């Protein structure tokens, strides 16, 4: 273990080194005409926090440290982490294929930073990426993980001339966060556009961040389709200060962008942060996943032939990582309360040719079966592939259960009944398709409901709990979280952990992970677990 800790020390240092001190934040007022446009047309966001939450984190981390954390959260990592499906291929084979693809697409020439050092996770990795855009993870046991080099931040010339601002496109905050990770600008993400934009025009791309509304809430203060003027008379002029994420070429006209419901609106050919896109690349052979998420599955230490529960499994990244570590031998029960998210797990498992994963629709708060419920549960797997890249990241805590788990059972609600789909429902679904995906929009396919599981029925349990997600990068807005909402997250997580304790067998293992920086959802949960369940003990593991 000492050797492993020594190897991870540079990694920990590098994670901290990502949090560079922030530059002086600009004030949200119209700029004087003589100000240098480079101070406006740049990427220098300041993360907005609820004042009470900000004060809470300052007390937890210290003012200087939290300032660095807050600044770092607005930047994506300048490397991509890839998990290789070793059941289908080898790490060396994937390295050769990726190098060929990067050379063909020309991305290999864009991996050197122009305006500053890369935020690589370790000094050793930085050295290994000097002569190659791809490097293997040097942590023992994680040799199936690859790092692909990106670069940034870069300064971009938007072609600003006195009295002649560039044509612009404003995208939603979530779209911008995806673009910073390497995605293109898709039609649903466009909020506003300059007049007279035609297909093939060069446009500056900026971000619309949620603002305080008159009702005290947060919202984007513009209607989709707003015409941008680009001058100080533009009512949204000051809101775009320091929030330009790159330049691209429009793939359709302004009229087309707001007429159609899907497709690429802007091809981002000049980005502040340049990261390779892995959309449709080596499907089934690789999976784009953040390193802490990979470590969470690795910390579970799954063994062949075991029965493992992933309580909040969607979108399936950790589930499939566990299956590969088990060599697809055993049983993994992957549960989520969302019908569509369970379908996502099925699709990803099919794409990666994994057969040991059984999926259920189940609320993690009701994971323990009632005494009088039967064991007849069936699942049907879909063969459609899933293209998914977002993963949770950050802290992982491992807890060991050496004694008998108390046989306390909670009740479940009645299983949802299937209903007849009427023509009106079909028309409603078609309208949703035109207007974009909604929270309850069904993607089609069959998902089996579960009434829960018997106590002591799993060798290992992964609880990747729903959380405030304040550790995800890049993040451009955090103002909606309040001290009350953070407390509510922690309450739900405790209830889920109670279920996990009942489900794991004596001597089994629970791994609890989140993607937040909130101590109330991390260290405080571990304190609760050890105080409440005296038979639990904290297992030793390496931390980042």
């Amino acid at each position: 273990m000492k050797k492993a800790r020594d190897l991870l020390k540079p990694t920990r240092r590098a994670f901290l080194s990502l949090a560079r001190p922030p530059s002086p934040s600009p004030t949200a007022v119209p700029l004087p005409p003589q100000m240098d446009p480079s101070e406006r047309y740049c990427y220098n966001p300041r993360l907005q926090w609820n004042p009470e939450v900000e004060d809470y984190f300052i007390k937890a981390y210290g003012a200087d440290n939290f300032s660095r954390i807050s600044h770092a959260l607005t930047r994506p990592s300048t490397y991509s982490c890839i998990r290789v499906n070793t059941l289908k291929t080898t790490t060396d084979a994937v390295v050769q294929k990726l190098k060929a693809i990067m050379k063909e697409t020309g991305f290999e020439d864009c991996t050197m930073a122009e305006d500053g050092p890369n935020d690589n996770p370790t000094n050793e990795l930085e050295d290994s990426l000097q002569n190659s855009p791809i490097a293997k993870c040097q942590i023992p046991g994680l040799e199936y993980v690859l790092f692909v080099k990106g670069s940034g931040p870069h300064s971009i010339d938007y072609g600003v001339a006195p009295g002649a601002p560039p044509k612009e496109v404003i995208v939603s905050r979530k779209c911008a966060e995806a673009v910073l990770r390497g995605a293109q600008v898709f039609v649903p993400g466009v909020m506003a556009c300059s007049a007279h934009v035609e297909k093939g025009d060069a446009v500056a791309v900026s971000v619309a961040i949620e603002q305080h509304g008159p009702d005290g809430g947060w919202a984007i203060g513009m209607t989709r389709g707003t015409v941008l003027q680009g001058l100080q008379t533009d009512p949204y002029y000051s809101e775009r200060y320091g929030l330009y994420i790159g330049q691209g070429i429009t793939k359709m006209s302004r009229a087309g962008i707001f007429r159609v419901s899907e497709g690429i609106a802007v091809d981002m050919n000049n980005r502040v942060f340049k990261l390779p896109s892995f959309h449709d690349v080596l499907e089934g052979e690789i999976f784009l996943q953040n390193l802490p998420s990979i470590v969470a599955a690795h910390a579970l230490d799954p063994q062949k032939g075991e029965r493992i529960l992933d309580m909040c499994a969607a979108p399936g990244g950790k589930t499939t990582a566990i299956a590969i570590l088990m060599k697809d031998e055993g049983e993994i029960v992957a549960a989520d309360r969302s019908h569509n998210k369970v379908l996502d797990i099925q699709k990803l498992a099919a794409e990666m040719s994994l057969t040991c994963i059984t999926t259920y629709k189940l609320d993690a708060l009701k994971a323990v079966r009632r005494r009088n419920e039967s064991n007849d549960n069936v699942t049907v797997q879909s063969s459609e592939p899933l293209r998914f890249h977002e993963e949770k990241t950050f802290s992982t805590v491992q807890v060991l259960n050496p004694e008998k788990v108390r046989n306390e059972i909670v009740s479940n609600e009645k299983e949802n009944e299937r209903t007849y789909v009427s023509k009106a429902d079909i028309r409603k679904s078609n309208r949703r398709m035109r207007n974009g995906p909604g929270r309850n929009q069904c993607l089609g396919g069959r998902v089996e409901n579960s009434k829960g599981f018997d106590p002591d029925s799993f060798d290992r349990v992964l609880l990747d709990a729903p959380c405030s997600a304040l550790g995800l990068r890049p993040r451009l807005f955090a103002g909606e979280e309040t001290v009350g909402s953070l407390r509510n997250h922690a309450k739900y997580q405790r209830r889920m952990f109670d279920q996990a304790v009942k489900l794991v067998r004596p001597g089994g293992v629970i791994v609890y992970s989140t993607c937040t920086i909130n101590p109330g959802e991390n260290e405080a949960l571990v304190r609760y677990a050890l105080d409440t369940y005296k038979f639990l003990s904290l297992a030793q593991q390496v931390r980042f």
Side-chain angles (χ1 to χ4, degrees):
M1 292 300 296
K2 184 178 185 302
K3 182 178 180 182
R5 286 195 296 270
D6 291 340
L7 287 169
L8 282 171
K9 284 180 181 177
T11 301
R12 188 177 183 184
R13 285 199 302 272
F15 268 86
L16 296 175
S17 72
L18 294 177
R20 294 190 296 263
S23 302
S25 58
T27 54
V29 296
L31 303 177
Q34 70 274 14
M35 182 166 284
D36 187 348
S38 64
E39 297 184 27
R40 167 181 169 78
Y41 293 93
C42 64
Y43 183 75
N44 187 29
R46 184 184 180 206
L47 196 56
Q48 302 180 65
W49 297 90
N50 176 291
E52 292 182 352
V53 171
E54 186 170 12
D55 183 62
Y56 162 68
F57 281 131
I58 287 175
K59 291 179 180 177
Y61 290 105
D64 291 341
N65 196 24
F66 179 64
S67 177
R68 289 192 294 269
I69 292 172
S70 183
H71 177 77
L73 287 174
T74 64
R75 267 67 176 167
S77 174
T78 52
Y79 73 96
S80 297
C81 186
I82 292 175
R83 173 167 56 82
V84 177
N85 183 356
T86 54
L87 300 182
K88 275 191 170 184
T89 184
T90 65
T91 304
D92 290 336
V94 168
V95 169
Q96 295 306 314
K97 291 179 182 179
L98 288 178
K99 285 183 177 180
I101 292 171
M102 294 176 70
K103 185 175 181 180
E104 180 180 350
T105 58
F107 186 84
E108 191 175 21
D109 299 329
C110 303
T111 57
M112 296 303 295
E114 298 171 1
D115 305 298
N118 284 342
D119 293 331
N120 289 320
T122 68
N123 292 334
E124 287 82 356
L125 178 58
E126 185 175 355
D127 293 339
S128 62
L129 287 174
Q130 288 296 322
N131 300 319
S132 173
I134 304 175
K136 294 181 182 179
C137 181
Q138 300 301 309
I139 301 172
L142 295 179
E143 293 82 4
Y144 57 91
V145 177
L146 296 174
F147 299 108
V148 182
K149 185 180 182 181
S151 63
H154 299 274
S155 296
I156 295 175
D157 182 4
Y158 293 100
V160 181
K167 293 183 178 181
E168 292 189 50
V169 166
I170 295 184
V171 299
S172 67
R173 186 254 308 172
K174 289 186 177 180
C175 175
E177 290 170 349
V179 170
L180 289 170
R181 294 193 301 267
Q184 300 290 3
V185 174
F186 289 87
V187 166
V190 178
M191 297 301 302
C193 182
S194 299
H196 311 300
V197 167
E198 300 295 334
K199 180 179 179 180
D201 284 351
V203 291
V205 180
S206 59
V207 190
I209 305 293
E210 289 86 340
Q211 304 291 330
H212 257 305
D215 58 351
W218 296 86
I220 297 176
M222 68 177 67
T223 302
R224 187 170 187 268
T226 297
V227 178
L228 300 178
Q229 300 171 359
L231 301 172
Q232 293 189 8
T233 54
D234 188 329
Y236 308 106
Y237 184 85
S238 62
E239 292 182 11
R240 307 198 295 279
Y241 184 104
L243 290 173
Y244 287 82
I245 59 175
Q247 189 178 53
I249 303 298
T250 54
K251 304 297 287 185
M252 55 185 75
S253 66
R254 172 191 164 82
I257 290 174
F258 297 113
R259 183 185 300 128
V260 301
S261 60
E262 59 184 12
I264 295 178
V266 181
D267 179 11
M268 297 295 294
N269 61 352
N270 197 4
R271 302 168 181 265
V272 173
F273 290 90
K274 297 177 181 179
L275 293 168
S277 173
F278 294 97
H279 184 67
D280 291 336
V281 175
L282 301 182
E283 286 187 352
E285 296 185 40
I286 64 172
F287 185 76
L288 189 65
Q289 189 173 27
N290 289 312
L291 181 60
S293 296
I294 298 173
V295 171
H298 197 77
L300 191 64
D301 193 25
Q303 304 297 316
K304 291 182 181 180
E306 290 184 330
R307 189 170 191 244
I308 294 175
L309 173 63
D310 190 348
M311 291 183 67
C312 305
K318 295 182 183 69
T319 309
T320 55
I322 295 168
I324 292 173
L325 290 173
M326 294 172 64
K327 307 298 182 185
D328 205 24
E329 297 180 22
E331 181 186 8
I332 301 174
V333 175
D336 200 275
R337 68 178 183 176
S338 166
H339 176 280
N340 287 347
K341 289 182 178 180
V342 175
L343 288 177
D344 288 345
I345 302 169
Q346 293 179 2
K347 293 174 183 178
L348 182 58
E351 178 184 307
M352 306 191 82
S353 302
L354 299 170
T355 60
C356 71
I357 299 172
T358 304
T359 58
Y360 294 109
K361 179 182 177 183
L362 174 66
D363 188 339
L365 295 175
K366 305 166 186 175
V368 180
R369 188 196 308 277
R370 292 176 56 183
R371 292 182 185 274
N372 60 347
E373 296 289 357
S374 68
N375 293 327
D376 298 329
N377 284 315
V378 181
T379 187
V380 176
Q381 299 242 3
S382 168
S383 61
E384 296 178 323
L386 172 68
R387 300 171 181 85
F388 187 86
H389 300 294
E390 181 181 356
E391 268 295 320
K392 289 186 176 181
T393 65
F394 218 70
S395 60
T396 304
V397 180
Q398 185 176 7
V399 179
L400 182 66
N401 178 4
E403 296 186 21
K404 178 70 177 175
V405 176
R406 291 185 298 175
N407 190 20
E408 179 184 350
I409 307 174
V410 298
S411 63
N412 282 327
E413 293 182 351
K414 183 179 179 182
E415 181 179 359
N416 294 336
E417 297 179 358
R418 302 185 187 280
T419 58
Y420 171 75
V421 180
S422 66
K423 291 184 178 179
D425 290 331
I426 295 175
R427 289 194 296 270
K428 184 177 180 180
S429 177
N430 289 336
R431 287 196 299 272
R432 284 174 174 170
M433 287 298 295
R434 289 194 298 270
N435 296 331
R439 176 178 297 178
N440 298 316
Q441 181 178 326
C442 180
L443 301 176
R446 182 181 176 186
V447 168
E448 199 67 29
N449 292 305
S450 172
K451 299 175 184 178
F453 308 101
D454 293 330
D456 307 342
S457 58
F458 293 94
D459 297 293
R460 302 173 195 266
V461 175
L462 172 62
L463 174 54
D464 185 41
C467 66
S468 54
L470 295 177
L472 293 177
R473 304 172 58 210
R475 170 175 287 276
L476 299 179
F477 176 70
E480 288 181 339
E481 288 291 349
T482 65
V483 171
S485 68
L486 294 180
R487 289 173 180 166
N488 287 334
H489 286 304
K491 290 178 182 178
Y492 279 112
Q493 289 155 2
R494 291 182 181 187
R495 292 172 60 191
M496 291 180 186
F497 192 88
D498 293 338
Q499 298 281 295
V501 171
K502 299 179 181 76
L503 290 169
V504 72
R505 66 168 176 78
V509 173
I510 300 173
V511 168
Y512 170 82
S513 66
T514 72
C515 57
T516 185
I517 62 173
N518 178 22
E521 300 174 68
N522 296 332
E523 290 86 350
L525 185 284
V526 178
R527 184 70 272 162
Y528 162 81
L530 297 177
D531 290 345
T532 305
Y533 302 101
K534 301 298 184 181
F535 49 82
L536 293 180
S537 61
L538 192 62
Q540 185 178 11
Q541 72 175 75
V542 179
R543 296 181 58 193
F544 286 92

